[in-house]
Amino acid sequence: MAFILPPLPYPREALAPTISAETVDFHYGKHHQAYVTNLNNLTAGTPWEGKALEEIVLAAKDALFNNAAQVWNHTFYWKGLKPGGGGPPTGVVADAIAGAFGGFDAFKEQLTKAAVGHFGSGWAWLVLAGGKLAVESTANAGCPLQEGKTPLLTCDVWEHAYYIDYRNARPKYVEAFWGLVNWDFVAANLTAAKKG
Amino acid sequence: MAKLTLPPLPYGYAALEPWIDEPTMRVHHDKHHQAYLDNLLKAITGTEFENVPPEKLLAGLGQIPEKIRAAVRNHGGGYVNHNLFWETMAPQAGGAPAGELAKAVGKEFGSFDAFKEKFAAAAAGQFGSGWAWLVVTRAGALAVYSLPNQDNPVTGGDTAILGLDVWEHAYYLKYQNRRAEYIGNWWNVVNWTKVGELYGRARK
């Protein structure tokens, strides 16, 4: 079965003014859609057809990897945001962050630094690696799944994620991103990984 | 050597309209290019490298101390690449190369159209941020390829004579996700006179 663009978990204008409806129209409607379309074109009639997305992300290279991982990364990115999100996390996530980084502010600073400091297209991540939380960035379509890590939250720092709303001011976009973080999603990812 | 500065655009911000829009030119030159220069200076000021031309630093990147190597590669590359980008574009330009460069393009690629196709494919196929390049190799031949981010061909021993910026910031305000349309329109502003001069210099 062909891959489909997963529905956006909220209306296109729901993240405004932090992320405008116009940005969502391009980012979700054009970029994310194009990765899905490319992935279907690259897999149709090949042994990859019918494989799970994660399986392709883990095994593929080059253009197939790029498109599969970008489908995965963007789906994960949208789920990690929500209107009225943000604020410091509570419960298991708060405990895990305090344990790994000393506190929420220190964690926020590390992920912000990874997002702002990543040169060129890529992603900043909160991951679970070897049972511990960690922050990292990946280039282009890079996905922590490749290294056996469990993604918990991501910030897209491709310029297309923020250029309409923030132009060159990536730090402003990253600062605003914190107001949209869906901590319930992070908690669900963490809980599932710890059970897994 | 005098302290590095940001060269002003050799034409007005709106001069490349309608192919490249004024808002893009303003933020691209005044913000992005300026930031590359500022970050390069931050890395090399007060070191033995502060008076070395940035092209030389990029050519000998392996000799740069690890502590500042990434900054020189990224921001030095960004500074040098954009200098070339602005000077190899012009209003009322486009067309085709002439003279020795025209001959070399014909010899290397078969025809100007075949060259354009190859160059456009390199630009469209660069996944993520980067540049498409027309270079003169050490052997004096022409070659086309793309490099990621702000990597400059000189680090690999080649001399860039034309570069097309395909970072999203180069086209997003006007073309959004339509990189192919940006590439197609960009041919209208290529300053082949300048590229021909750079070819002659690189061959010497």
Side-chain angles (χ1 to χ4, degrees):
Chain A
M1 203 183 76
F3 292 100
I4 53 154
L5 179 66
L8 203 60
Y10 30 75
R12 54 187 279 279
E13 69 281 0
L15 305 179
T18 305
I19 297 176
S20 66
E22 192 190 0
T23 290
V24 173
D25 285 346
F26 283 107
H27 198 179
Y28 172 74
K30 301 290 183 183
H31 292 278
H32 196 175
Q33 176 66 65
Y35 293 125
V36 172
T37 304
N38 292 341
L39 177 61
N40 283 325
N41 290 339
L42 288 165
T43 51
T46 77
W48 297 103
E49 194 170 348
K51 298 267 198 258
L53 182 60
E54 284 80 3
E55 200 179 334
I56 301 177
V57 169
L58 289 174
K61 296 203 173 5
D62 304 322
L64 182 58
F65 168 77
N66 286 340
N67 286 287
Q70 285 295 77
V71 171
W72 196 95
N73 292 349
H74 280 90
T75 302
F76 192 81
Y77 171 70
W78 299 123
K79 287 183 181 169
L81 305 177
K82 69 169 188 184
T90 55
V92 286
V93 177
D95 294 345
I97 284 176
F101 305 100
F104 179 64
D105 287 346
F107 155 70
K108 196 176 154 186
E109 194 180 313
Q110 267 197 47
L111 188 64
T112 297
K113 205 172 153 199
V116 170
H118 180 81
F119 193 76
S121 317
W123 301 79
W125 302 87
L126 171 65
V127 299
L128 185 69
K132 267 202 76 180
L133 295 192
V135 160
E136 65 177 38
S137 72
T138 59
N140 298 328
C143 177
L145 290 175
Q146 289 173 284
E147 295 152 358
K149 298 170 184 169
T150 305
L152 302 175
L153 176 69
T154 193
C155 181
D156 189 347
V157 294
W158 281 61
E159 288 173 321
H160 66 230
Y162 59 88
Y163 215 77
I164 289 173
D165 299 327
Y166 299 91
R167 306 288 196 268
N168 60 305
R170 190 192 287 186
K172 282 190 189 157
Y173 156 71
V174 175
E175 182 54 41
F177 160 87
W178 289 107
L180 293 176
V181 173
N182 180 355
W183 291 112
D184 297 336
F185 177 66
V186 180
N189 291 331
L190 183 61
T191 306
K194 294 225 153 159
K195 269 189 202 148
Chain B
M1 198 178 78
K3 196 177 168 188
L4 296 171
T5 56
L6 184 69
L9 283 182
Y11 34 75
Y13 289 100
L16 305 182
E17 295 264 13
W19 317 114
I20 301 182
D21 58 297
E22 178 176 352
T24 293
M25 291 299 287
R26 287 194 182 276
V27 65
H28 201 175
H29 177 269
D30 295 2
K31 303 290 182 184
H32 290 278
H33 197 180
Q34 180 73 55
Y36 290 126
L37 172 60
D38 293 346
N39 287 318
L40 171 64
L41 289 173
K42 211 181 286 174
I44 61 173
T45 301
T47 74
E48 60 185 296
F49 304 104
E50 73 177 321
N51 292 317
V52 181
E55 291 82 356
K56 283 224 166 109
L57 297 178
L58 295 170
L61 201 57
Q63 279 83 61
I64 305 290
E66 213 179 317
K67 194 167 159 245
I68 60 166
R69 194 182 302 150
V72 168
R73 174 181 179 177
N74 293 337
H75 302 293
Y79 175 66
V80 168
N81 295 346
H82 286 87
N83 286 345
L84 179 74
F85 191 49
W86 310 132
E87 71 171 359
T88 50
M89 295 191 289
Q92 283 97 46
E100 290 301 311
L101 178 58
K103 274 188 226 162
V105 165
K107 183 174 162 236
E108 190 63 47
F109 305 103
S111 68
F112 179 57
D113 283 346
F115 154 74
K116 273 175 77 173
E117 201 175 307
K118 191 168 179 189
F119 189 92
Q126 170 61 41
F127 189 78
S129 33
W131 293 69
W133 297 103
L134 171 64
V135 303
V136 179
T137 66
R138 272 206 194 100
L142 291 179
V144 161
Y145 51 75
S146 71
L147 291 176
N149 296 330
Q150 297 294 352
D151 291 353
N152 184 286
V154 77
T155 304
D158 297 336
T159 305
I161 60 171
L162 179 66
L164 173 56
D165 189 347
V166 292
W167 280 61
E168 287 173 323
H169 68 233
Y171 60 86
Y172 212 79
L173 296 182
K174 184 175 172 72
Y175 298 95
Q176 295 87 37
N177 60 308
R178 302 181 308 280
R179 189 194 283 190
E181 194 182 324
Y182 158 70
I183 296 167
N185 283 345
W186 172 75
W187 295 111
N188 292 301
V189 293
V190 175
N191 181 352
W192 287 111
T193 310
K194 185 69 195 181
V195 181
E197 273 173 43
L198 295 173
Y199 176 67
R201 213 182 295 165
R203 293 269 290 170
K204 266 181 201 153

